[in-house]
Amino acid sequence: MPAKLVRELGEMEELVEEILTRLPPDEPGNLLRASLVCKPWLGLLASHGFRRRYGEFHRTPPMLGFLHDWPKTRAEFFPTTDFRARGPDHKHQYSVKDCRHGRILLSYKDDNQPIFVVWDPMTGGQTVLCRPEMSGASRWQASVLCAADSCSHGDCHSGPFVVVFVTLDEQEGVATASAYSSETSTWCSPALTAIAPFEEEIDFYDSPSVLVGDALYFLVFREQDDEVIEDSILKYDLGKSCLSEILLPEEEVERASNNPILMVGEDGRLGIAHLFFYCLSVWWREVDPDGVASWTQRIDIDLKTDLFPLGNFSIPPELGGSVEGTGIIFVISKVGTYMIDLKSQTSKKLSSKLYQHPNVRWSLFPYVSFYYPPAVAGVVAEASSEAGHGNEET
């Protein structure tokens, strides 16, 4: 082949890659259609190099959809783009427990034994594991996250993952946590911490946990005479495998509602948001150079603005979750589910099907990931499996 033609073909390939790299991540159907053009384009999209460059170019992966946890209903994926999830099978009555780093944590009972399923909507892969035997397991929360070193978490479907399981034992007055590693297929030794006294009942909020740095945070409430009187946060340090409790003194964080959520700001700080009627308040945790932590109110927004069709509300809206590291929260109203950007103070309606119910506390779990077509995802997963990097089953 003449050198000039080889050079021209090489330049054409570089041009194609430059064009494909610039396809918007929130329009995943473009990559799917591109993969069907020809085998060279499929090979390009299947390469680890392209996936890395695509993530570096766009930096922030988009929200492709979300799930909700509502008792007595199956896990359902609600797309916010043209992405369509693969699976899960509907042999069981799944409940959604967490969603992070391209994976969704589901739970169901088999012969009255609690089972976890780590599901990858991109490939349809599912990994099944039994929960560990721990005291106080009637009150529990769980999280899933990527365990790969130096991962940007924009596309970590085929790498190792960790599941963290946290329980509250009312009788013993302790909280317990254990972590499952997909690399070893084992649960680590439990970590325990004493929890502050409570009057009648202590339990987890249904709202999702959040990941800040190398620690997971879970929101807990204390109840007396069917009224929530105090909140606290359980912190599980993944690096040290230790559990601790963060109390929220009334003089620092006023209780404004009975449906707070944890969130992570763009700067990586831990926050807690309350919604009282239409007044949204967000408090951020500040740590000074001496390691002393305090809570500071930094955002106070009146939702009686153009953010909502106020005239359609018959009852005040509720908070349903957040997108970690973005300042985006979900608000569920009588007329549907909305996404609010606290930075720009703008809102977007996500769904009319998911609306407020007086007897149900909703939790929304955003699915955030760069998209790659099923054929491409399969090629990469197969290559990763041959290299010994994956533990997921399909």
Side-chain angles (χ1 to χ4, degrees):
M1 182 180 297
K4 181 180 179 180
L5 181 56
V6 172
R7 183 173 64 255
E8 291 176 349
L9 289 174
E11 292 173 353
M12 182 63 71
E13 290 176 358
E14 292 178 3
L15 179 60
V16 168
E17 182 172 358
E18 287 295 322
I19 293 173
L20 294 180
T21 299
R22 284 162 173 75
L23 291 177
D26 57 352
E27 299 177 7
N30 290 333
L31 284 175
L32 174 60
R33 287 184 286 270
S35 70
L36 301 176
V37 171
C38 59
K39 287 186 178 180
W41 285 29
L42 174 61
L44 172 63
L45 292 171
S47 68
H48 288 284
F50 175 82
R51 294 156 73 90
R52 184 187 70 252
R53 288 186 290 273
Y54 190 80
E56 291 174 350
F57 182 83
H58 294 285
R59 296 187 179 181
T60 304
M63 185 177 77
L64 299 178
F66 64 92
L67 299 95
H68 74 87
D69 185 29
W70 193 347
K72 299 181 181 180
T73 63
R74 290 178 174 176
E76 184 177 358
F77 187 91
F78 291 82
T80 54
T81 64
D82 55 7
F83 169 75
R84 295 298 180 267
R86 303 182 68 187
D89 62 71
H90 288 295
K91 295 185 298 183
H92 307 286
Q93 193 78 23
Y94 294 114
S95 60
V96 185
K97 296 304 177 186
D98 198 24
C99 181
R100 185 180 291 107
H101 299 161
R103 296 184 178 91
I104 297 170
L105 182 63
L106 306 173
S107 180
Y108 71 94
K109 286 189 176 182
D110 185 17
D111 294 331
N112 211 32
Q113 296 298 314
I115 305 294
F116 281 137
V117 176
V118 179
W119 166 42
D120 181 352
M122 195 76 67
T123 65
Q126 297 181 174
T127 302
V128 180
L129 54 143
C130 294
R131 289 186 341 206
E133 293 292 336
M134 295 193 332
S135 61
S138 61
R139 291 171 170 82
W140 61 273
Q141 270 283 24
S143 294
V144 63
L145 66 152
C146 172
D149 294 331
S150 304
C151 184
S152 63
H153 305 309
D155 171 41
C156 40
H157 306 274
S158 60
F161 64 85
V162 169
V163 173
V164 175
F165 181 56
V166 185
T167 67
L168 294 169
D169 190 327
E170 285 188 302
Q171 294 183 346
E172 299 295 330
V174 298
T176 308
S178 183
Y180 173 91
S181 168
S182 67
E183 295 180 288
T184 63
S185 299
T186 58
W187 291 91
C188 70
S189 300
L192 286 80
T193 188
I195 51 181
F198 50 93
E199 295 295 330
E200 292 183 4
E201 184 178 2
I202 183 171
D203 205 345
F204 291 98
Y205 278 101
D206 292 329
S207 57
S209 64
V210 296
L211 177 67
V212 181
D214 200 31
L216 282 164
Y217 295 84
F218 303 83
L219 192 56
V220 172
F221 68 86
R222 289 165 172 79
E223 196 171 61
Q224 181 179 5
D225 298 327
D226 296 327
E227 180 180 351
V228 175
I229 60 172
E230 187 180 18
D231 290 334
S232 66
I233 299 172
L234 287 178
K235 173 185 177 182
Y236 182 69
D237 190 308
L238 294 153
K240 299 177 182 178
S241 298
C242 66
L243 189 64
S244 58
E245 185 178 25
I246 301 172
L247 298 178
L248 305 176
E250 289 186 10
E251 59 269 22
E252 293 189 44
V253 181
E254 296 180 359
R255 160 154 292 285
S257 67
N258 62 355
N259 66 329
I261 61 168
L262 294 177
M263 58 184 300
V264 184
E266 292 180 286
D267 54 4
R269 288 182 301 170
L270 176 66
I272 182 169
H274 295 270
L275 185 58
F276 182 68
F277 286 97
Y278 301 104
C279 182
L280 174 67
S281 297
V282 180
W283 297 72
W284 298 105
R285 191 168 188 252
E286 309 280 358
V287 181
D288 66 20
D290 296 325
V292 179
S294 61
W295 292 85
T296 305
Q297 187 176 15
R298 302 296 294 273
I299 297 177
D300 199 354
I301 300 175
D302 184 2
L303 298 185
K304 293 180 181 178
T305 62
D306 295 332
L307 292 177
F308 290 98
L310 192 62
N312 293 330
F313 286 152
S314 59
I315 55 177
E318 298 178 348
L319 297 176
S322 65
V323 182
E324 291 179 350
T326 65
I328 292 175
I329 63 172
F330 301 113
V331 177
I332 303 165
S333 76
K334 191 68 175 178
V335 295
T337 297
Y338 289 78
M339 180 173 67
I340 296 182
D341 188 324
L342 299 181
K343 184 177 181 179
S344 63
Q345 295 197 19
T346 57
S347 68
K348 176 183 178 182
K349 192 171 186 178
L350 295 179
S351 174
S352 298
K353 293 174 60 178
L354 302 181
Y355 52 87
Q356 202 169 14
H357 191 285
N359 300 320
V360 177
R361 172 73 170 88
W362 284 52
S363 295
L364 268 63
F365 302 84
Y367 179 66
V368 177
S369 177
F370 288 116
Y371 171 79
Y372 297 97
V376 175
V379 170
V380 175
E382 181 178 355
S384 299
S385 177
E386 292 175 356
H389 298 306
N391 287 295
E392 298 186 51
E393 300 174 0
T394 57

